[in-house]
Amino acid sequence: MPDVNQYVNWFRQSSPYINALRDNTVVVMLSGDTIKDPNFDNVIHDIALLNSLGMRLVLVYGVRAQIDECLNAQGIACSFHHRRRITDAATLSCAVTASGAIRTSIEAKLSMGLINTPMHGARIRLLSGNFVTARPVGVFDGVDLCHTGEVRRIDQRAIKQALDLDSIVLLSTIGYSPTGELFNLPVEEVAAQAAISLRADKLILLGAEQGITDSNGDTRSELLSGTAQRLLNQYRNQLSDPNQTPSEVSQLLATAITAVDGGVSRCHLLSYKVDGAMLAELYTRDGSGTMVTEESYEQVRDASVEDIGGIIELINPLEESGILVRRSRERLEAEIEQFIVIERDNAIIACAALYCFSEEKIGELACIAVDQDYLGGNRGDILLKAIEQRALARGLNSLFVLTTRTAHWFLEQGFAAITVEQLPRQKQRIYNLQRNSKVFSKQLTSS
């Protein structure tokens, strides 16, 4: 039964994300290396599940690795110029052959429906076609790149019509020109431009690595686009030769930045080697890879009545352990305007309240709580700063707090011990002698 309970709990916790992501337009980039990886069948199963859960999916598949294999088999050397492949006639032939073979393979995998398999009963319909109009890169620094192209236009209207029919749209990296020519396009560019043109809710980029890691080797769950750009500049500065091929991570990071700057809300860098990476990223609070976004998806804001359930869930364990004074739902409803919260992906992960004693120009910091899973992110400091700013805006000169367990933290934040007799008179009258809370105060400055 423990495994069943764990499954039930996960399923319940994922339901808000299922509801939020239904009808979202999501572009998924599948590189040639992704398609070659032994885990690709699991990736296909997860794509089928995302479709079943109501996502509007556009799959962009690349053939870079397959082109290299084809050229090597023919004894033809791969030619590059300024980090772009020179697509001559032989290379274009390999690209077209590989693209057709992979499209057929993906269609076959998404058409499976055997009993006792994840695909049973899926009945997925795929549509592909000449959705991508391309133009030649042309001559670059004196070198003709031949059939190497760049995206000119995405037929977003036709793609949306296909998505409205509950189909998955399949885009290749072969682009077509109005003159009937074929061009070989970078998979990253097609994916980014498709997401931008469709105003997609998400762009998922699958690579070998599970997102971006910090100096300790831990995956960074979120990067703002400005931070991502600085990190990308560092990657590029490490290249000794301007013609040197950049790392896959830097290519994916550049793609994510392009998409976010173009209006895509969130881009996710995930590993195609990790089983279930997309499901863990999309349907759990902390995800599994790195999300690049224009703004932080943790927001400090004023609380509203709709937040009461989340606040109760947050503070209940602290009330049970005696750290916080018990508050009824009715009291929270009456005092909700005193609260601020930190919201992370539609969940309340921290809260605090400010009660004003206007006559003495003193405020009480109360009910400060942070979810147990998020204690390491300086969120207490963020809450305190927000409360201080609110107190200053209301003309208060100082804050006080009553605590039984966290005295040291408040001392570290610049609070000093005071006596009960130094509290506002109204607070002195309701001071709970049985709790014997310690009292601390902090002067406020606008600097």
Side-chain angles (χ1 to χ4, degrees), residues 32 100 130 185 211 248 290 319 326 335 428:
N130 57 341
L185 309 173
E248 181 189 55
T290 298
E319 292 174 345
R326 290 187 180 277
E335 299 178 351
Q428 290 182 41

Side-chain angles (χ1 to χ4, degrees), residues 85-396:
R85 187 191 297 275
I86 300 174
T87 308
D88 55 17
T91 304
L92 181 63
S93 176
C94 287
V96 171
T97 300
S99 181
I102 289 175
R103 185 195 69 195
T104 303
S105 174
I106 292 175
E107 289 175 346
K109 289 179 182 295
L110 285 171
S111 299
M112 292 188 298
L114 295 177
I115 295 176
N116 296 327
T117 69
M119 299 293 295
H120 179 59
R123 297 177 182 174
I124 294 170
R125 181 172 58 247
L126 282 89
L127 287 178
S128 59
N130 57 341
F131 295 118
V132 182
T133 301
R135 60 189 169 208
V137 173
V139 178
F140 191 79
D141 282 351
V143 176
D144 188 356
L145 297 184
C146 301
H147 295 281
T148 298
E150 58 189 12
V151 174
R152 179 178 179 181
R153 186 173 66 89
I154 302 290
D155 192 348
Q156 52 91 13
R157 181 178 179 183
I159 294 174
K160 286 182 178 180
Q161 288 175 343
L163 294 174
D164 289 341
L165 295 172
D166 296 328
S167 298
I168 293 178
V169 174
L170 202 54
L171 299 183
S172 76
T173 52
I174 301 298
Y176 306 86
S177 75
T179 60
E181 295 177 275
L182 303 180
F183 292 99
N184 180 31
L185 309 173
V187 65
E188 297 86 0
E189 182 180 345
V190 177
Q193 293 306 316
I196 292 169
S197 179
L198 293 167
R199 297 182 180 178
D201 299 284
K202 293 180 180 293
L203 170 61
I204 296 175
L205 304 170
L206 297 175
E209 302 298 325
Q210 185 73 329
I212 306 298
T213 56
D214 58 21
S215 57
N216 296 321
D218 297 323
T219 301
R220 300 185 63 169
S221 61
E222 178 191 8
L223 282 177
L224 298 184
S225 58
T227 305
Q229 184 62 61
R230 290 191 291 272
L231 186 58
L232 177 62
N233 293 338
Q234 294 176 13
Y235 284 135
R236 287 173 172 170
N237 291 336
Q238 293 171 1
L239 298 178
S240 57
D241 183 350
N243 289 318
Q244 183 179 347
T245 302
S247 67
E248 181 189 55
V249 169
S250 64
Q251 287 179 303
L252 296 181
L253 195 57
T255 304
I257 293 168
T258 298
V260 168
D261 290 346
V264 179
S265 300
R266 297 178 178 183
C267 297
H268 303 263
L269 277 61
L270 308 174
S271 174
Y272 55 76
K273 296 179 178 292
V274 176
D275 189 14
M278 286 193 292
L279 301 182
E281 177 72 5
L282 298 175
Y283 294 107
T284 64
R285 185 184 294 179
D286 296 319
S288 63
T290 298
M291 182 178 71
V292 180
T293 182
E294 187 66 33
E295 297 180 355
S296 176
Y297 69 132
E298 276 193 18
Q299 296 185 357
V300 181
R301 60 170 177 79
D302 293 341
S304 67
V305 174
E306 288 75 16
D307 300 319
I308 289 175
I311 293 174
I312 290 175
E313 184 177 348
L314 175 67
I315 67 177
N316 183 255
L318 300 176
E319 292 174 345
E320 293 290 338
S321 63
I323 295 176
L324 292 180
V325 176
R326 290 187 180 277
R327 285 171 169 81
S328 66
R329 175 178 284 272
E330 291 75 16
R331 180 181 174 185
L332 283 172
E333 290 177 354
E335 299 178 351
I336 193 63
E337 292 182 356
Q338 318 304 327
F339 279 76
I340 61 172
V341 295
I342 298 180
E343 179 186 14
R344 179 186 176 97
D345 235 9
N346 300 315
I348 304 302
I349 64 167
C351 71
L354 172 67
Y355 298 95
C356 297
F357 298 85
S358 301
E359 185 177 341
E360 294 95 338
K361 293 186 177 182
I362 298 174
E364 179 184 7
L365 169 61
C367 200
I368 185 166
V370 179
D371 189 294
Q372 187 70 28
D373 294 333
Y374 297 94
L375 293 177
N378 296 321
R379 293 174 180 86
D381 298 7
I382 294 171
L383 285 170
L384 176 58
K385 183 177 180 181
I387 288 289
E388 289 178 354
Q389 290 174 344
R390 177 183 277 194
L392 286 168
R394 296 181 179 180
L396 305 183

